């Protein structure tokens, strides 16, 4: 009897004995029965319900199946279908079950093919302990793997060729035409060593599907059967479509259709076909080396970036990594030193996925100015490329198993290097070019090796710009980034430096140079320069401004310490006069009362600190005191000046106009970087060049014209 989807109650007289055994008690006229040695399970066959009094479980037919078989609702429905008690749904009818039998023909486990749209498309069903099978986590534990169609394999002529396919469908297809065919469960890559003894002394042909997984699978099967089978060969069928298998080959239409006889002929020939020479790794010729003098490693940037290698350049946001990369490419193209370090001269390519052409033009103009190199003279030598806004910038893609394949952009990169003959390539940055998992060592290593292929094949040097992680490491993601590259350089803003435009570069990893060396320079007017490249009077003025910033920081540190201790200081000459109170504090760094007074004046005028009325407890009077200006308060000097200040220093700056954005003075006649921020603010009358140069660009530049990278 077959039940409709809503008529499961009628199945109880049939299902109950199958799951519970013969009843030992009849309670009333054949409709109510008891099962089990203690009669603990009561079944009503007419109404279609059961009650397991001992387990305290009751319900209908589907609940009984779930209770006794330990499955879910889907499993209960599948069991009814397997027993022929329920019609299969349209989707269920797409399923196919392949039985894996032992030598006696007993089904040991099953493989379910679930249809094209199912996920996963195949499921293995192990024994459920009750004579059936179930698909669940761990269902195959303790089940020995078997070749598919093992009884047929054992009963076949020992001289017959055994075809090992990649899938049960193909094995069944060949068996229908009288061939001996088998496979393994689990698909490609799952031919375990325990299957090999079943092929001892047999002539075996492994059919390779036409895709990388099929080729790897065929090689694996061949390797495991070599030495056990009397003969083993791989057959790569001719004219097989991509991802095609033997069933596709036999279905092929054309002037001459492929037949089973053709397959047998190709298989027989495969045993005698010459095998390709095994691939071996190249071995160094020490005899030749003995007659040659070894040469030291060449450098694209002396001591920092080895030639024909991949170097990782990292640094925090705002450390000017992009500027460094573009300026390095410019120095190579122009044949001039980079920060007084020798650079290997030759064509260079700088590729950015973050900045547009307008930004590149702006930066190049300032870099050329700093290097005193005419831009026109770089034509044909320096090649700048912007990929900003372009889709598909990733250089490689990874499949579901983590295997790498080059993306179209990698082909474009290679062709561009060949066309420009670039000896130096700067890629800015890894976040746009690497689409894999940065915490996956295999994917990271494969990506770096892909870049190394450019070094090996084209003789180019690659500088890959990256970012640190949130934990403060000099790289983001797996340590494989450091293990894969031969060199890493780190660009930093030195912590605690009085001048925020100072930069430092040091070796994070060095295989060809000494670790620990560092080089200091500064960001100035959208380029990177050394202090000694400034005229003497500018250097003196710069030193004075840096000292001023240091004095400001010392005053604020002292004020913070006194505030934390619950003490107040005054801007007016009194016993609580701030400069006098701070002079002896270690945080003042010995700068003296005069410099502390000047720092107090500057900080009041730019709104960093303010005067407020502090009421003395229990005395009913208040005094003028100093404190840090709250973050949300307007920075206006006019409302924070004390009633009376000591005599003004002749060198103190003029008070700011109320509500003017404060910024540290720059050098006279220069549009250089400000020394109180990462870049200068424009004058109040100057246009907002970030909007003029980059319309629609909503990035947040650090301050004014500041460098974002």
């Amino acid at each position: 009897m077959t039940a409709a989807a809503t008529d499961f109650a009628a199945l109880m007289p049939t299902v109950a004995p199958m799951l519970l055994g013969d009843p030992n008690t009849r309670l009333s006229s054949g409709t109510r029965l008891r099962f089990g040695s203690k009669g603990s399970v009561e079944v009503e066959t007419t109404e279609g319900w059961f009650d397991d009094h001992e387990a305290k479980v009751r319900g209908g037919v589907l609940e009984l199946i779930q209770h006794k078989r330990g499955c879910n609702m889907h499993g209960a429905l599948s069991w009814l279908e397997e027993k022929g008690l329920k019609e299969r749904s349209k989707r269920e009818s797409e399923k196919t079950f392949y039985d894996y039998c032992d030598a006696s023909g007993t089904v040991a486990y099953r493989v379910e093919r679930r249809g094209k749209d199912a996920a996963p498309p195949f499921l293995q069903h192990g024994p459920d302990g009750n004579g059936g099978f179930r698909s669940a986590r761990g269902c195959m534990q303790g089940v020995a793997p078997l070749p598919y169609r093992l009884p047929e394999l054992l009963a076949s002529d020992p001289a017959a060729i055994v075809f090992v396919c990649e899938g049960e469908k193909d094995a069944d297809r060949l068996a229908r035409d009288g061939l001996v065919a088998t496979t393994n469960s689990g698909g490609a890559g799952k031919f375990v060593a325990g299957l090999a003894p079943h092929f001892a002394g047999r002539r075996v042909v492994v059919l390779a599907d036409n895709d990388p997984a099929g080729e790897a699978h065929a090689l694996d099967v061949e390797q495991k059967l070599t030495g056990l089978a009397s003969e083993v060969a791989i057959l790569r069928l001719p004219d097989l479509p991509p991802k095609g298998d033997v069933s596709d080959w036999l279905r092929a239409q054309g002037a001459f259709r492929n037949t089973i006889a053709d397959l047998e002929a190709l298989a027989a020939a495969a045993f005698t076909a010459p095998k390709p020479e095994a691939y071996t790794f190249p071995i160094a010729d020490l005899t030749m080396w003995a007659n040659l003098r070894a040469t030291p490693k060449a450098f694209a940037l002396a001591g920092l970036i080895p030639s024909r290698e991949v170097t990782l350049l990292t640094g925090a946001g705002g450390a000017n990594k992009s500027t460094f990369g573009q300026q390095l490419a410019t120095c190579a193209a122009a044949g001039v030193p980079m920060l007084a370090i020798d650079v290997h001269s030759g064509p260079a390519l700088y590729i950015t996925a973050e900045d547009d052409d307008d930004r590149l033009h702006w930066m190049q103009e300032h870099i050329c100015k700093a290097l005193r190199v005419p831009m026109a003279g770089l034509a044909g030598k320096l090649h700048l490329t912007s990929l900003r806004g372009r889709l598909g910038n990733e250089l490689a893609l990874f499949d579901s198993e983590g295997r790498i394949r080059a993306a179209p952009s990698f082909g474009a990169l290679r062709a561009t290097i060949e066309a420009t003959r670039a000896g130096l390539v700067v890629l800015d940055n890894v976040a746009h070019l690497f689409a894999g998992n940065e915490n996956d060592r295999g994917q990271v290593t494969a990506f770096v090796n892909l870049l190394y292929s450019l070094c090996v094949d084209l003789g180019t040097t690659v500088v890959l710009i990256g970012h640190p992680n949130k934990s403060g490491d000099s790289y983001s993601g797996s340590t494989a980034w450091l293990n894969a590259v031969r060199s890493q350089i780190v660009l930093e803003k030195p912590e605690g430096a009085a001048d925020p435009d100072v930069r430092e570069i040091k070796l994070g990893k060095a295989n060809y140079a000494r670790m620990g060396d560092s080089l200091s320079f500064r960001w100035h007017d959208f380029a990177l320069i050394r202090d000694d490249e400034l005229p003497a009077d500018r250097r003196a003025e710069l030193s004075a401004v840096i000292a001023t910033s240091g004095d400001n920081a010392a005053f604020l540190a002292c004020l913070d310490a006194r505030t934390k201790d619950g003490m107040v200081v005054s801007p007016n000459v009194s016993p609580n006069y701030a400069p006098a109170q701070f002079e002896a504090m270690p945080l003042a760094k010995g700068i003296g009362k005069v410099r502390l007074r000047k720092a107090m004046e500057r900080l009041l005028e730019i709104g960093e600190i303010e005067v407020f009325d502090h009421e003395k407890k229990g005395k009913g009077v208040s005094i003028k005191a100093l404190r840090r200006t709250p973050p949300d308060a307007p920075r206006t000097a006019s409302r924070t000046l004390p009633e009376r200040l000591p005599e003004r220093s002749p060198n103190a700056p003029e008070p700011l106009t109320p509500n003017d954005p404060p910024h540290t003075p720059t050098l006279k006649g220069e549009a250089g970087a400000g020394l109180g921020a990462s870049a200068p603010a424009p004058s109040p009358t100057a246009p907002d060049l970030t909007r003029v140069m980059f319309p629609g660009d909503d990035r947040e530049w650090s301050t004014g014209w500041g460098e974002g990278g």
Side-chain angles (χ1 to χ4, degrees):
M1 178 176 59
T2 301
T6 58
D7 190 22
F8 296 116
L11 295 176
M12 186 61 83
T14 304
V15 170
M18 294 173 68
L19 295 172
L20 302 171
D22 293 332
N24 58 14
T25 305
R26 187 183 303 277
L27 299 183
S28 62
S29 63
T31 63
R32 190 170 295 190
L33 310 172
R34 284 193 183 275
F35 290 81
S37 59
K38 298 180 181 180
S40 61
V41 182
E42 184 179 352
V43 175
E44 168 53 64
T45 59
T46 301
E47 298 177 7
W49 56 262
F50 82 99
D51 191 340
D52 188 333
H53 300 290
E54 185 175 347
K56 294 182 173 53
V57 177
R58 62 178 296 150
V61 170
L62 294 176
E63 287 75 19
L64 175 61
I65 299 171
Q66 294 178 68
H67 172 48
K68 299 306 292 182
R69 293 186 59 79
C71 61
N72 57 18
M73 182 65 72
H74 175 75
L77 294 171
S78 297
W79 185 83
L80 287 172
E81 291 168 357
E82 290 175 17
K83 300 302 180 183
L85 299 175
K86 175 183 176 296
E87 294 179 355
R88 293 185 183 273
S89 65
K90 182 178 180 181
R91 180 173 178 81
E92 294 295 325
S93 66
E94 297 177 358
K95 296 180 180 178
T96 302
F97 287 89
Y98 301 104
D99 291 337
Y100 279 71
C101 302
D102 60 21
S104 67
T106 302
V107 178
Y109 58 93
R110 311 181 77 192
V111 170
E112 174 190 354
R113 183 174 183 171
R114 307 174 65 215
K116 296 180 179 179
D117 300 327
F122 291 88
L123 282 177
Q124 297 193 74
H125 292 247
D128 65 0
N130 295 313
F133 300 91
R134 64 189 180 96
S135 177
R137 185 181 296 275
C139 70
M140 295 296 292
Q141 186 172 355
V143 179
L146 297 168
Y148 184 54
R149 306 181 66 91
L150 177 59
E152 292 86 344
L153 172 62
L154 296 175
S156 65
D157 181 355
I161 294 176
V162 179
F163 290 87
V164 177
C165 309
E166 187 188 318
E168 296 87 358
K169 170 180 67 71
D170 293 336
D172 285 345
R173 171 68 181 83
L174 298 186
R176 285 199 303 270
D177 284 306
L179 301 183
V180 183
T182 184
T183 188
N184 58 275
S185 57
K190 298 299 191 298
F191 190 94
V192 297
L195 298 175
H198 295 285
F199 298 88
R202 301 302 297 259
R203 303 173 69 222
V204 180
V205 168
V206 185
L207 296 171
D209 284 5
N210 189 22
D211 57 22
E215 177 67 18
H217 176 70
L219 291 169
D220 180 56
V221 175
E222 180 189 40
Q223 186 270 328
K224 288 186 168 100
L225 295 184
T226 298
L228 284 172
S230 62
E231 292 182 275
V232 61
I234 296 176
L235 176 54
R236 301 169 180 89
L237 293 167
D239 302 320
L240 199 60
K243 298 188 177 181
D245 53 33
V246 64
S247 297
D248 298 318
W249 187 77
L250 289 170
R251 281 195 300 266
Q253 302 293 321
F256 300 98
R257 294 192 61 182
N258 299 319
T259 66
I260 288 294
D262 297 330
L263 179 63
E264 290 180 302
L266 290 172
F271 292 119
T272 58
K275 293 189 177 182
E277 293 185 11
Y279 172 77
T280 62
F281 296 122
I283 305 297
D285 186 345
L286 296 185
T287 302
M288 181 184 70
W289 282 12
N291 296 314
L292 296 174
R293 179 181 291 275
T295 57
K297 184 65 178 179
F299 280 83
L301 181 63
L304 292 172
I305 301 176
S307 295
R308 300 188 178 187
E309 302 281 356
V310 177
T311 292
L312 185 64
L313 168 61
T314 62
N320 306 107
K321 300 182 296 297
S322 297
T323 303
F324 187 96
Q326 189 171 347
Q327 185 166 327
L328 174 64
T330 303
C331 290
V336 299
M338 171 78 173
L339 300 170
I341 301 176
D342 289 338
V343 177
H344 183 78
S345 177
L349 173 63
Y350 173 76
I351 298 178
T352 176
E354 294 199 330
D355 294 323
D356 58 17
D357 285 339
D358 287 339
R359 176 69 178 175
L360 282 176
H361 184 185
W362 172 268
M363 294 301 302
Q364 193 59 48
E365 186 173 282
H366 287 76
I367 290 171
C368 286
K369 176 183 175 183
L371 298 177
R372 298 178 177 85
V373 170
M375 193 183 303
L378 298 175
K381 302 175 185 176
L382 175 63
H383 308 277
L384 306 177
T385 297
S386 170
L387 303 180
R388 183 181 178 187
R390 177 181 177 271
L391 299 179
N393 286 333
E394 61 274 5
L395 299 180
L397 301 172
F398 297 88
D399 63 18
S400 59
E401 297 182 4
R403 290 173 297 203
I404 191 172
R405 63 180 176 87
S409 287
F410 181 78
L413 172 61
R414 187 184 184 99
T416 304
I417 296 172
E418 291 175 337
T420 60
R421 299 183 179 180
L424 172 68
V425 177
V426 181
L427 302 176
D428 187 6
N429 63 53
V430 66
H432 296 271
L433 305 176
F434 175 66
N437 179 358
E438 65 177 8
N439 295 304
D440 187 315
R441 297 174 64 86
Q443 292 188 17
V444 168
T445 302
F447 178 77
V448 174
N449 284 338
L450 184 68
L451 296 181
Y452 264 116
S453 71
L454 301 174
C455 303
V456 174
D457 297 343
L458 306 180
T460 192
T461 301
V462 176
V463 176
L464 181 62
I465 296 179
H467 295 294
N469 63 20
K470 295 181 180 179
S471 301
D473 297 325
S474 61
Y475 55 89
S476 181
S478 170
T479 54
W481 286 111
L482 286 189
N483 294 334
V485 301
R486 305 300 288 169
S487 176
Q488 182 210 18
I489 51 179
V490 183
L491 190 58
E492 296 179 337
K493 294 180 176 180
E495 188 174 352
D499 180 359
D501 290 328
V502 169
R503 302 290 182 266
E504 184 179 75
I505 195 165
K506 61 182 181 181
L507 283 167
K509 174 184 178 179
N511 285 79
Y512 303 107
R514 186 174 59 189
M515 287 281 293
D517 290 343
S518 63
L519 174 70
S520 294
F521 47 94
R522 72 174 51 255
W523 187 94
H524 177 74
D525 196 16
F526 299 95
L528 303 174
I529 64 171
R530 294 176 296 109
D531 285 347
D532 58 10
E533 293 177 306
L534 290 170
D537 58 338
R538 300 287 174 84
R539 290 200 300 273
E541 186 177 356
L542 182 63
S543 297
V545 176
I546 292 173
T548 296
S549 297
D551 290 358
N552 290 354
F555 187 94
L556 290 173
C558 294
L559 178 60
D560 290 342
R562 286 301 171 94
T563 301
K564 182 179 179 181
D565 293 338
M567 303 175 66
V568 296
V569 292
S570 173
N572 299 320
V573 176
S574 66
N576 293 324
Y577 183 44
Q581 290 288 320
F582 294 166
E583 184 179 18
M585 295 176 64
L587 290 173
K589 299 181 179 179
I591 63 176
K593 184 163 60 176
V594 173
R595 288 170 62 180
L596 286 167
R597 173 174 58 79
K598 293 178 180 179
M600 178 179 69
E601 293 175 2
R602 288 190 298 269
L603 292 169
L604 282 167
E605 291 174 354
I606 64 175
E608 286 290 327
I609 60 177
E610 67 178 10
V611 179
F612 72 103
D613 292 322
H614 172 73
E615 185 175 346
K616 291 187 175 182
K617 293 183 179 180
K619 296 186 178 181
V621 296
S622 62
I623 62 171
K624 298 295 182 183
L626 289 174
R627 67 183 179 191
R628 285 242 193 192
T629 304
D632 56 348
R635 302 299 179 93
T636 54
S638 59
R639 290 182 300 203
T640 57
L641 292 175
E643 294 176 352
R644 179 174 59 85
L645 282 175
E647 182 180 354
R648 184 179 183 83
S649 166
N651 296 322
E654 292 298 320
L656 294 173
T657 303
N659 294 317
D660 270 356
H663 60 276
T664 308
T666 59
L667 304 180
K668 295 178 181 179
E670 289 287 333
L675 299 168
S678 61
S683 67
T685 58
D688 184 354
L689 292 189
T690 61
R691 299 277 71 80
V692 174
M693 290 180 56
F694 312 110
D697 185 352
D698 56 359
R699 280 180 299 175
E700 291 186 16
W701 299 95
S702 53
T703 302
W705 300 341
E707 158 75 6

